[in-house]
């Protein structure tokens, strides 16, 4: 067996073990979370969301996710910044890909005090591959697969699917959630203009 094939096999084994452990943890977590029937639809069916929804103009809750190297990233890492969070169900699907690339294209036109993040429950391996293939390099793409901490703290985890509802959130430099766009259907893109215009107003105000 060559060194390359051994390395590939080792990586695949780690990937499968990590996926299995995440799935077990997610099932256990879901059983303990509050749930609510939302107005968001998957096709023609309203989805049930898990976790505690956060209200606009309330203090943003800290959360921890991981980057594509499994390094922990927290909201508290961006204290003093205005943070736009683009939330997607699965980064490898068409609409989520469009959403991620669209927000990535906006980064260079924004002030330095603004941070754009994409969060999904995709595994870091998949996110890294996507970013390399699609040349998404100007915004951080982060995974909520390990702890589901973001999804549960913001009430965006979809019951029995293990993915996040499509949304755009903006947290101002004072740590307040000041904008929340919950996209009515998982198969639809967000209103980019509304989100970017809101972001510009918030930055100007702060």
């Amino acid at each position: 067996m060559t060194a390359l094939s051994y390395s590939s096999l080792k990586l695949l084994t780690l990937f499968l073990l990590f996926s299995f452990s995440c799935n077990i943890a997610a099932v256990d977590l879901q059983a303990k979370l509050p749930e609510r029937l939302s107005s968001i639809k998957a096709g023609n069916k309203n989805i049930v969301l898990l976790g505690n929804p956060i209200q606009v103009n309330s203090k943003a809750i800290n959360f921890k996710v991981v980057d594509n190297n499994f390094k922990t990233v927290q909201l508290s890492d961006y204290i003093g910044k205005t943070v736009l969070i683009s939330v997607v169900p699965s980064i490898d699907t068409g609409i989520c890909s469009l959403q991620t690339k669209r927000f990535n294209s906006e980064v260079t036109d924004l002030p330095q005090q603004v941070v754009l993040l994409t969060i999904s429950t995709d595994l870091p391996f998949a996110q890294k591959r996507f970013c390399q293939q699609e040349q998404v390099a100007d915004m951080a793409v982060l995974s909520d697969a390990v702890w589901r901490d973001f999804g549960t703290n913001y009430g965006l985890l979809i019951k029995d699917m293990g993915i996040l509802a499509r949304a755009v959130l903006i947290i101002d430099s004072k740590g307040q959630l000041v904008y929340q766009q919950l996209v009515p259907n998982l198969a639809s893109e967000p209103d980019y203009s509304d989100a970017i215009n809101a972001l510009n107003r918030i930055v100007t105000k702060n």
Side-chain angles (χ1 to χ4, degrees):
M1 182 178 290
T2 66
L4 179 61
S5 61
Y6 175 78
S7 176
S8 299
L9 181 60
K10 184 177 179 181
L11 182 61
L12 177 60
T13 301
L14 289 173
F15 174 83
L16 292 173
L17 287 173
F18 179 76
S19 300
F20 179 75
S21 63
C22 284
N23 288 335
I24 293 297
V27 170
D28 184 57
L29 176 67
Q30 288 191 25
K32 303 175 183 177
L33 290 173
E35 59 183 63
R36 69 193 189 281
L37 183 64
S38 75
S39 60
I40 300 171
K41 292 186 176 182
N44 295 318
K45 184 179 180 181
N46 291 78
I47 61 174
V48 175
L49 293 176
L50 301 174
N52 297 301
I54 182 169
Q55 302 301 316
V56 173
N57 296 322
S58 61
K59 181 71 174 178
I61 300 170
N62 194 34
F63 59 82
K64 58 181 182 178
V65 288
V66 294
D67 65 15
N68 57 34
N69 292 313
F70 286 89
K71 178 183 177 183
T72 300
V73 177
Q74 300 187 68
L75 178 62
S76 57
D77 295 336
Y78 303 104
I79 290 175
K81 301 280 189 179
T82 299
V83 182
L84 182 148
I85 303 175
S86 170
V87 188
V88 298
S90 180
I91 203 157
D92 267 330
T93 59
I95 300 300
C96 297
S97 175
L98 290 172
Q99 180 176 335
T100 303
K101 289 188 286 187
R102 172 61 187 272
F103 279 117
N104 183 69
S105 72
E106 297 282 351
V107 175
T108 54
D109 296 325
L110 296 171
Q112 289 187 342
Q113 70 266 32
V114 175
V115 175
L116 266 62
L117 310 174
T118 286
I119 298 179
S120 73
T121 56
D122 295 293
L123 295 174
F125 308 104
Q127 292 182 340
K128 184 174 185 177
R129 174 179 48 75
F130 170 85
C131 290
Q132 290 173 341
Q133 289 179 348
E134 302 295 337
Q135 299 181 327
V136 173
D138 294 319
M139 67 185 300
V141 178
L142 305 168
S143 175
D144 197 31
V146 179
W147 304 289
R148 300 296 201 273
D149 199 43
F150 170 77
T152 57
N153 280 327
Y154 286 76
L156 295 175
L157 184 64
I158 303 176
K159 183 180 180 181
D160 298 329
M161 295 180 72
I163 59 176
L164 301 173
R166 193 181 307 282
V168 182
L169 313 177
I170 301 177
I171 298 164
D172 70 11
S173 59
K174 298 175 184 178
Q176 296 285 116
L177 178 70
V178 291
Y179 177 90
Q180 180 174 241
Q181 180 187 152
L182 303 179
V183 182
N185 196 295
L186 293 184
S188 300
E189 293 179 75
D191 186 333
Y192 301 111
S193 295
D194 189 70
I196 295 300
N197 289 338
L199 180 63
N200 288 325
R201 289 195 303 270
I202 292 161
V203 170
T204 301
K205 182 179 178 180
N206 291 337

